[in-house]
């Protein structure tokens, strides 16, 4: 389902048939596809942040939370858990 940005100016969505996360202007136009994963779903705007978060599913049926910059860039996990603690990206 589409998700409105906190300021109401943009909408994050899932590209039907491709399972890619995109954003567009609330009034239409300005579409930009942000992800290229196998199956990306459930976009949500991070409050007061230039990121859209989403679930990325893998072919084995598992999923992970990812974040991608709204203006383009690499999708990555916003929380990395390693030996000795966790780190927010």
């Amino acid at each position: 389902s589409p998700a409105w940005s906190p300021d109401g100016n943009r909408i994050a969505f899932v590209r039907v048939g491709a399972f890619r996360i995109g954003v567009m202007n609330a009034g239409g136009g300005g579409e930009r596809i942000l992800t290229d994963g196998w199956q990306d779903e459930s976009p949500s705007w991070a409050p007061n942040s230039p990121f859209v978060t989403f679930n990325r599913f893998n072919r084995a049926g598992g999923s992970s939370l990812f974040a991608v910059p709204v203006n383009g860039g690499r999708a990555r996990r916003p929380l990395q858990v390693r030996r000795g603690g966790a780190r927010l990206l």
Side-chain angles (χ1 to χ4, degrees):
S1 64
W4 288 85
S5 64
D7 64 10
N9 291 326
R10 293 183 278 187
I11 301 169
F13 62 91
V14 176
R15 166 62 69 197
V16 175
F19 292 103
R20 306 287 190 257
I21 303 299
V23 294
M24 64 184 294
N25 298 328
E31 182 179 307
R32 171 184 269 169
I33 301 300
L34 301 176
T35 68
D36 61 1
W38 177 71
Q39 187 170 349
D40 298 334
E41 297 182 8
S42 305
S44 178
W45 291 85
N48 301 316
S49 174
F51 292 91
V52 170
T53 59
F54 62 94
N55 287 323
R56 175 167 281 173
F57 291 85
N58 61 42
R59 295 179 194 273
S63 70
S64 297
L65 178 68
F66 275 77
V68 64
V70 174
N71 293 323
R74 186 173 62 92
R76 54 188 171 168
R77 291 182 179 154
L79 178 65
Q80 291 183 344
V81 179
R82 296 184 176 163
R83 281 182 111 165
R87 178 173 74 101
L88 288 173
L89 298 178

